[in-house]
Each structure stands twice: as structure tokens, then as C-alpha cells.
């Protein structure tokens, strides 16, 4: 029994060898094929006769090259595009016998003639390029030809300059998503090490749908991934900084332009680093709440309370917009009449200024505060609305947006609190011993002393309240 043979196949545009000549296929029907016949217009040959001929062979088949995406081709450097076009000219000569742009009637060179096989033409092209100074092999030409037939001229370009690598290498996207979630959960939690984040990543991956089939990469790969995902987040560092970075402003921010007193004022509260005798006879810490005018850098008022409440913020606002009366025992140099303020002109507006201390009265237009309950309470908001004052909360965890009052509250420790006998320092590391043996001021005494210091510090005169006086 003879060996089975796949029947021949021809298509329009093919060049076939038949009866000792190379002929072009003009048309293909169900039972016959039309071939170009030298000087004759054409010749119709039955398919069975064509395939049964001893010398029948498909010499060449036209291949429609894919049209490259123009946007991708433009992304390549000009040098790579030029080299790809140079290769295209040589590959087209290997495939069709003539380079692009050949004049009509140009004879095909013998080494690229239709009677030569594709392998022979590739060898001839390799020898030609090597002789011209471009050392290439026949396999290189064959490789370029296949890429050109598959992808067009885009396949001849070097993709390394525009190749995009994966952001996290070969790590599965599910692992990356699980680690992102573990890092997000750690924002408001207590600071933990990277080992906990890796463990939590595995737990999240197990709980996720389809996560059971996802394997974790090596420990070193996980730590490298953790370093990339936590860059600049302080996940294993300061909890305060981490929360500030995570919840802070994401839009462009900056200070409001200020040109006049009261245009923008800032309010905030902090713990005072001093032991105080409270009303119940117990020694403890108190909170300092203060307001500063941004234009003049004037501390307009400050109150001391065991815990800042909404009514305390309203009291601070009331003290800001009313004159500070002189107290018994205050130096006469602290009177408003002794300051550079326009005392006589202001008397026509408020007769209380005749006995007032030299602290300016500034009515706010805008008050910038944080999200503390005392400053966003109904009591404080109603007081501001009554005085036609706008309250502007800063972004959460963004203390830099009210940096003036933050800096001023920090300066109170160096300019005022450290001169008191029961100064505790800003932390346990800075705290002294046996503070209870020193003189402890009551809350009312310390409040009056603070009011005197504010008037003295924010006048144009020298200090009349020295550190020795505080002791």
C-alpha cells in the first residue's frame, strides 16, 4: 500500500514551478487553476494535472505583513526605528527578490531568484551583509525574517529601550494586595515589626476568596516587597508620623495670605509641663489653650484648665475680644497707656481701655483649629457665628497647617514653664526628682501669672517678670 500524501495547495499570488517554468497563479477555482503563460495571457490547468506534475512545487507565497501600531512604533528611539527599516529592506529582498523602492523592470539578482530556496536566499543575504561589514549569520537572517512575517517592521525593532518590567517582579498580585491591606490596617494600630506585617499578609491571603491556592514567595522576597510598599509610610516607625502621613492633606496646601490683624487666627491646646495644685487639693497636670494672631504673632489669650472643654474655648474667645484689665500687683509699665498702642484713640471706642493692660484686643475673622471636640462643639461654633467669625478646621493629622500656634505652644515651655519650680520637662527622660518638695502653684495663681507674662512678653518694653520672680 502506497504512502498517503497531503494534496497540494495553491493560492492567488503564489509562484509555482510547472513544466520547467516559474509561473504565477492568477486565479484558483474548484477544479482548475489559471497560470501566467509567458507571452500568452494565461493558461488554465486542471488541479489534478498541476499536482500530478513531477516538477510541481510552490516556490514562493505572498505573505501580508501586519501593519504595526503607529503609536508603538513612535515610542521607539529614532536610532532603533532607522535600524528596523534598514533590516526591512534586506528582508523584503530575501522574500520577494527585490528591495523596496526598486525601479520597474529591475532584474532580480541571481542569488535571490525565484528558483532558489528560501534557505539559500537567507544564506546569500548573510554572506552579503558580512562582506559589507555587518557580521550576521544565516540563522540571524532567518530569525529576523520570521519576526517580520509575524509582526511586521515592529518585530525588527529592539524592544529593550521601551520594555516595561513588572513593578513587583514575579510576585503574585494577590500577595501584593494582601500586603497592602496589612499595611493599611497598621496605620492606626500600635507600631509593630515587619515580621508581624508578613504574618498578617499570610492570614489575609488565607481569608481571601481563592487565596488558598496562592503561594507566598520566599522570606527575602517578601521583605523586599515590604520595603517597597512601606517606603515613606513609617509603618515600623513613629505612630504619630505614620498617622500624619496617612490621614494628612492629599491636595496642595499652604498658608493663607495675611495682611491685617485678626484676618487669620489659630487656636489649639496642649499639656503644660508643670505640676499644679488643683481645686480638689490633688497635684496634677493641666492643659493650656491659647489663640495667636498670625499677622502680628500676638498671643491674644490663654486659659489653663484640668481638661479643655467646649466652654473653655468660648471663654478664650471672649477674653480675646475684650480688654485685659490690670490686676493688683502688676507693674505700672504693663498699662496700655504706657505702651505703643494708640491708647487715646481707642478710649473713644471702649472706656474700659483706660484701666486695661497693654494687650491688644483683636477680633478674629477666621479661626483655624484642629478637629478637637472643644473647637468643633456646638457651644464654640455658636459663639463664633454670633460674632460673625468663620471657623476653618485644618486637615486631620496635619499640624503644619496651623504651625504658628503649634510653635507658640512649644515656646511657652522654654519662655515660661521652665522658670516655674515644678517644671516636669517634656517627657519622663527630662523629669527631675522630688518635684513634690518644691513650691506648687494653685491653678488660679498660675493662671494670673500666665496672664501677666503674656502682657509683659508681647509689649515693647523689657521684661518685668523674670525667672527669679516666678520662684
Amino acid at each position: 500500500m502506497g504512502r498517503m500524501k497531503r494534496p497540494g495547495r495553491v493560492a492567488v499570488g503564489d509562484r509555482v514551478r510547472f513544466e520547467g517554468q516559474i509561473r504565477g497563479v492568477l486565479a484558483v477555482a474548484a477544479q482548475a487553476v489559471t497560470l501566467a503563460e509567458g507571452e500568452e495571457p494565461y493558461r488554465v490547468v486542471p488541479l489534478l494535472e498541476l499536482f500530478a506534475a513531477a516538477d510541481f512545487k510552490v516556490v514562493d507565497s505572498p505573505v501580508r505583513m501586519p501593519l504595526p501600531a503607529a503609536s508603538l512604533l513612535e515610542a521607539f528611539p529614532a536610532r532603533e526605528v532607522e535600524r528596523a527599516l534598514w533590516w526591512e529592506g534586506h528582508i523584503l529582498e530575501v522574500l520577494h527578490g527585490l528591495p523596496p523602492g526598486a525601479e520597474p523592470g529591475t532584474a532580480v539578482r541571481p542569488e535571490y531568484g525565484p528558483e532558489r530556496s528560501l534557505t539559500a536566499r537567507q544564506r546569500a543575504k548573510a554572506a552579503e551583509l558580512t562582506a559589507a561589514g555587518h557580521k550576521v549569520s544565516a540563522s540571524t537572517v532567518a530569525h529576523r525574517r520570521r519576526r517580520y512575517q509575524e509582526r511586521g517592521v515592529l518585530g525588527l525593532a529592539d524592544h529593550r529601550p521601551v520594555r516595561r518590567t513588572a513593578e513587583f517582579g514575579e510576585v503574585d498580585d494577590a500577595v501584593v494586595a494582601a500586603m497592602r491591606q496589612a499595611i493599611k490596617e497598621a496605620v492606626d494600630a500600635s507600631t509593630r515589626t515587619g515580621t508581624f506585617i508578613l504574618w498578617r499578609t499570610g492570614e489575609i491571603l488565607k481569608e481571601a476568596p481563592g487565596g488558598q491556592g496562592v503561594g507566598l514567595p520566599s522570606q527575602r522576597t517578601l521583605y523586599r516587597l515590604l520595603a517597597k510598599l512601606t517606603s515613606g509610610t513609617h509603618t515600623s516607625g513613629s505612630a504619630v508620623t505614620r498617622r500624619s502621613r496617612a490621614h494628612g492633606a492629599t491636595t496642595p496646601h499652604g498658608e493663607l495670605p495675611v495682611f491685617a490683624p485678626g484676618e487669620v487666627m489659630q487656636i489649639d491646646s496642649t499639656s503644660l509641663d508643670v505640676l499644679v495644685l488643683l481645686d480638689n487639693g490633688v497635684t496634677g497636670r493641666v492643659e493650656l489653650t491659647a489663640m495667636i494672631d498670625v499677622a502680628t504673632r500676638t498671643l491674644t489669650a490663654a486659659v489653663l484648665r484640668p481638661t479643655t472643654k467646649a466652654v473653655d474655648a468660648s471663654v478664650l474667645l471672649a477674653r480675646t475680644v475684650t480688654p485685659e484689665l490690670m490686676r493688683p500687683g502688676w507693674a505700672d509699665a504693663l498699662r496700655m497707656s504706657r505702651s505703643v498702642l494708640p491708647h487715646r484713640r481707642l478710649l473713644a471706642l471702649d472706656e474700659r481701655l483706660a484701666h486695661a493692660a497693654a494687650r491688644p484686643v483683636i477680633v478674629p475673622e477666621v479661626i483655624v483649629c484642629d478637629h478637637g471636640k472643644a473647637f468643633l462643639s456646638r457651644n464654640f461654633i455658636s459663639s463664633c457665628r454670633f460674632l460673625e467669625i468663620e471657623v476653618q478646621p485644618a486637615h486631620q493629622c496635619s499640624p503644619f497647617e496651623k504651625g504658628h500656634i503649634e510653635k507658640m505652644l512649644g515656646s511657652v515651655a522654654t519662655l515660661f514653664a521652665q522658670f516655674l519650680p515644678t517644671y516636669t520637662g517634656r517627657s519622663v527622660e527630662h523629669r527631675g526628682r522630688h518635684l513634690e518638695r518644691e513650691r506648687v502653684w494653685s491653678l488660679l495663681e498660675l493662671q494670673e501669672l500666665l496672664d501677666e507674662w503674656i502682657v509683659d512678653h508681647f509689649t515693647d518694653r523689657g521684661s518685668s517678670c523674670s525667672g527669679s520672680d516666678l520662684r
Side-chain angles (χ1 to χ4, degrees), residues 63-92 95 100 143-159 162:
V63 179
R64 174 171 290 185
M65 304 305 168
L67 185 64
S71 59
L72 295 178
L73 194 61
E74 292 175 357
F76 287 85
R79 182 178 179 182
E80 298 300 331
V81 174
E82 182 181 354
R83 182 167 179 80
L85 295 176
W86 176 82
W87 266 109
E88 183 184 27
H90 293 289
I91 296 300
L92 288 176
L95 292 174
H143 176 66
R144 297 275 181 172
R145 188 261 309 166
R146 287 191 295 269
R147 289 177 56 181
Y148 181 72
Q149 290 179 329
E150 293 173 0
R151 304 184 59 187
V153 69
L154 193 62
L156 300 176
D158 187 358
H159 288 244
V162 296

Side-chain angles (χ1 to χ4, degrees), residues 127-140:
E128 176 188 342
L129 294 178
T130 301
H134 306 282
K135 187 176 181 180
V136 295
S137 62
S139 60
T140 301

Side-chain angles (χ1 to χ4, degrees), residues 33-305:
V33 62
T34 304
L35 303 177
E37 181 64 19
E39 298 178 357
E40 300 293 332
Y42 56 87
R43 176 184 174 184
V44 179
V45 180
L47 286 174
L48 294 177
E49 180 182 349
L50 179 66
F51 295 152
D55 61 343
F56 168 74
K57 182 179 180 182
V58 178
V59 177
D60 191 13
S61 297
V63 179
R64 174 171 290 185
M65 304 305 168
L67 185 64
S71 59
L72 295 178
L73 194 61
E74 292 175 357
F76 287 85
R79 182 178 179 182
E80 298 300 331
V81 174
E82 182 181 354
R83 182 167 179 80
L85 295 176
W86 176 82
W87 266 109
E88 183 184 27
H90 293 289
I91 296 300
L92 288 176
E93 188 174 14
V94 170
L95 292 174
H96 306 299
L98 291 175
E103 296 293 335
T106 302
V108 178
R109 290 192 287 176
E111 57 269 27
Y112 303 111
E115 68 281 353
R116 296 187 58 123
S117 65
L118 185 59
T119 302
R121 282 177 274 165
Q122 291 174 168
R123 290 175 179 172
K125 177 57 68 175
E128 176 188 342
L129 294 178
T130 301
H134 306 282
K135 187 176 181 180
V136 295
S137 62
S139 60
T140 301
V141 177
H143 176 66
R144 297 275 181 172
R145 188 261 309 166
R146 287 191 295 269
R147 289 177 56 181
Y148 181 72
Q149 290 179 329
E150 293 173 0
R151 304 184 59 187
V153 69
L154 193 62
L156 300 176
D158 187 358
H159 288 244
R160 286 176 295 181
V162 296
R163 185 175 298 161
R164 295 182 180 180
T165 58
E167 183 178 3
F168 302 108
E170 299 181 356
V171 180
D172 195 287
D173 293 340
V175 177
V176 177
M179 187 171 290
R180 288 186 189 275
Q181 183 177 343
I183 295 171
K184 185 177 180 180
E185 292 177 356
V187 170
D188 296 317
S190 300
T191 301
R192 291 179 170 87
T193 62
T195 304
F196 175 84
I197 301 297
L198 298 189
W199 170 83
R200 181 57 186 154
T201 300
E203 295 299 311
I204 294 174
L205 200 60
K206 293 177 182 178
E207 298 170 0
Q212 298 287 344
V214 179
L216 288 173
S218 65
Q219 195 90 350
R220 295 181 62 183
T221 302
L222 286 175
Y223 273 110
R224 286 196 295 266
L225 176 62
L226 179 64
K228 288 184 178 180
L229 295 180
T230 58
S231 177
T233 61
H234 294 266
T235 300
S236 300
S238 170
V240 176
T241 306
R242 178 173 65 251
R243 289 191 292 269
S244 179
R245 289 288 184 91
H247 302 305
T250 57
T251 56
H253 51 80
E255 294 186 356
L256 296 173
V258 179
F259 303 99
E263 198 169 354
V264 175
M265 300 184 73
Q266 297 176 358
I267 186 173
D268 199 5
S269 61
T270 187
S271 295
L272 187 67
D273 301 330
V274 176
L275 292 179
V276 182
L277 183 63
L278 303 178
D279 295 338
N280 56 5
V282 178
T283 302
R285 300 275 294 273
V286 294
E287 288 190 358
L288 168 67
T289 304
M291 184 179 297
I292 187 175
D293 176 58
V294 176
T296 61
R297 304 296 195 272
T298 300
L299 190 63
T300 56
V303 294
L304 296 175
R305 293 292 185 271

Side-chain angles (χ1 to χ4, degrees), residues 35 118 131 160 237 296 322 358 366 369 378 389 412 418 421 423 471:
L35 303 177
L118 185 59
R160 286 176 295 181
T296 61
T322 56
V366 177
C369 62
R378 181 180 302 177
I389 299 172
V412 171
Q418 69 171 341
Y423 175 64
R471 296 181 179 274

Side-chain angles (χ1 to χ4, degrees), residues 306-321:
T307 303
T308 303
K309 299 181 179 179
V311 65
D312 301 323
S314 299
V315 169
L316 181 66
L317 178 62
R319 296 190 60 180
T320 299
V321 298

